[in-house]
Amino acid sequence: MEKIIDVKKLSEIKKENLKQEIKMLSKKNVIPKLAVIIASFDESSKIYVRNKKRLCDSLGILQEEYYFSNTVTTDDILDTIDKLNKDDSVHGILVQLPLYKHLDKHKILESIDVRKDVDGFKEINTGRLLLKSKDMIIPCTAKGIMSILEFIKADISGKHAVIVGRSQIVGKPVSYMLLNNDATVTICHSKTKNLGHYTKEADILVVVAGVCNLIKKDMVKKGSIVIDVGINKVDGKIYGDVNLHEVIDDVEYITKVPGGVGVMTVISLIENLIELVKRSNNIE
Ligand code: NAD
């Protein structure tokens, strides 16, 4: 059995489904449009934006990019978002993180119209996720991780899921999703003592710390599922947070980096966009 999850195959299946949905929308004269705000020095952000654009182009989705220099103010970005909120041709607004340090991230994210909150980062969408509301928009990486678990038909109910990392954008949302699916959830973070004690207990281990080589030999349970979310650049090469070679003998399934969760994050973004398009046009 192949232990490394074939995320490429999953992404192809998902892309095919999306193509069908977009075809159905075009018959109703609706062309999905995503607006992306980029106000950052971060080089990786530019790569992510390029990847999104490539996927949007291949699916027939419009993507508009708004680049800002480091002299931009929070009010300038709020003005742009206000215009995009009022523009009926725009279905989703994405603010690429991280933003320049001087900008008010919270104010900017909260200014997005909830009907266009494609990343699901607004407080109201976090609340919906906590309450398991049917209106929730699941943050893209968490949604991608759940798709991967569904793809391998992982049995989540009653299993012990350990998440390493508690960020607002990935760690917490994926913890809530696993809890919503009846896992027993443990959340670890930088202040957790004896991390290996917890990770070794995990039936499902999700690692999203951004620390290369954090999970090594003897830190995983035999027969477990390991989802590596980390993206770490070392000497120009990309690595995850898990030392795949040291743990692969013990796991049942594992995702690799690159070519794992990152692939599904972009697909999930487009799934969220299509969901918002359908909602705004009252299409089931
Ligand atoms: P973050 O810095 O906001 O959060 C990191 C979390 O890890 C924190 O909660 C921190 O407490 C915890 N942590 C840090 N060091 C730790 C340690 N030694 N032991 C235990 N916990 C520790 O980062 P983030 O935005 O959640 O991203 C984390 C990683 O995931 C990064 O490498 C990022 O690039 C990657 N990422 C990947 C995708 C994807 O699509 N594959 C998406 C988002 C983030």
Side-chain angles (χ1 to χ4, degrees):
M1 188 192 70
E2 183 56 69
K3 291 187 174 193
I4 298 178
I5 302 172
D6 191 351
V7 175
K8 190 166 185 298
K9 183 172 169 192
L10 170 62
S11 77
E12 293 304 328
I13 296 169
K14 293 269 185 191
K15 267 191 238 174
E16 210 33 63
N17 292 344
L18 283 167
K19 274 185 192 156
Q20 296 307 323
E21 297 239 54
I22 292 160
K23 209 162 137 191
M24 179 271 290
L25 291 171
S26 77
K27 282 187 186 148
K28 296 179 190 292
N29 295 320
V30 181
I31 302 175
K33 194 198 275 185
L34 175 69
V36 184
I37 308 244
I38 306 118
S40 157
F41 286 122
D42 189 52
E43 274 309 308
S44 329
S45 291
K46 294 187 179 125
I47 299 171
Y48 298 145
V49 173
R50 245 194 339 258
N51 291 344
K52 283 169 197 155
K53 175 95 174 83
R54 205 173 296 142
L55 181 62
C56 284
D57 287 347
S58 74
L59 292 170
I61 291 171
L62 302 171
Q63 176 172 312
E64 268 175 10
E65 289 150 28
Y66 295 82
Y67 282 91
F68 294 94
S69 70
N70 64 344
T71 54
V72 71
T73 63
T74 295
D75 282 342
D76 294 333
I77 296 188
L78 293 180
D79 282 346
T80 301
I81 291 179
D82 184 48
K83 287 191 188 95
L84 294 168
N85 280 340
K86 289 176 180 150
D87 181 344
D88 288 340
S89 74
V90 173
H91 304 95
I93 304 170
L94 180 149
V95 174
Q96 189 66 46
L97 300 176
L99 288 167
Y100 296 124
K101 290 262 181 306
H102 67 277
L103 296 173
D104 187 336
K105 179 177 100 177
H106 182 257
K107 210 167 172 183
I108 289 171
L109 292 178
E110 282 303 311
S111 74
I112 298 172
D113 187 320
V114 67
R115 290 166 302 181
K116 303 191 181 192
D117 182 24
V118 71
D119 258 332
F121 288 161
K122 280 190 74 128
E123 287 175 354
I124 185 166
N125 273 321
T126 305
R128 286 171 173 170
L129 178 59
L130 270 171
L131 297 171
K132 218 176 158 179
S133 148
K134 67 173 173 44
D135 289 334
M136 66 183 161
I137 285 291
I138 306 160
C140 305
T141 305
K143 188 180 174 103
I145 293 169
M146 297 312 291
S147 294
I148 291 173
L149 292 174
E150 194 185 358
F151 178 60
I152 57 167
K153 299 189 171 58
D155 185 10
I156 299 174
S157 176
K159 292 289 158 63
H160 186 191
V162 175
I163 293 85
V164 182
R166 58 174 165 183
S167 69
Q168 205 60 43
I169 63 168
V170 190
K172 282 180 187 154
V174 78
S175 308
Y176 302 146
M177 284 303 293
L178 287 161
L179 184 61
N180 286 345
N181 282 276
D182 298 327
T184 300
V185 175
T186 300
I187 305 175
C188 302
H189 46 79
S190 55
K191 300 282 189 290
T192 299
K193 293 193 171 65
N194 195 2
L195 182 65
H197 165 78
Y198 299 96
T199 59
K200 251 171 33 190
E201 292 292 314
D203 300 306
I204 300 169
L205 176 63
V206 179
V207 193
V208 54
V211 180
C212 193
N213 222 12
L214 182 64
I215 305 298
K216 307 184 192 64
K217 198 168 178 56
D218 300 327
M219 286 179 80
V220 301
K221 185 175 176 178
K222 263 208 174 331
S224 59
I225 297 167
V226 177
I227 307 289
D228 188 356
V229 190
I231 300 176
N232 307 291
K233 211 170 184 178
V234 183
D235 297 332
K237 261 191 90 181
I238 303 285
Y239 297 90
D241 289 351
V242 179
N243 190 320
L244 184 138
H245 301 290
E246 285 188 11
V247 305
I248 195 151
D249 285 344
D250 288 329
V251 303
E252 182 186 7
Y253 282 113
I254 189 164
T255 58
K256 62 174 183 172
V257 180
V261 175
V263 177
M264 286 314 297
T265 298
V266 204
I267 298 274
S268 304
L269 170 75
I270 304 300
E271 288 181 335
N272 278 353
L273 180 72
I274 299 302
E275 175 63 29
L276 294 178
V277 173
K278 291 204 285 197
R279 284 187 200 174
S280 70
N281 288 279
N282 294 316
I283 300 170
E284 286 294 308

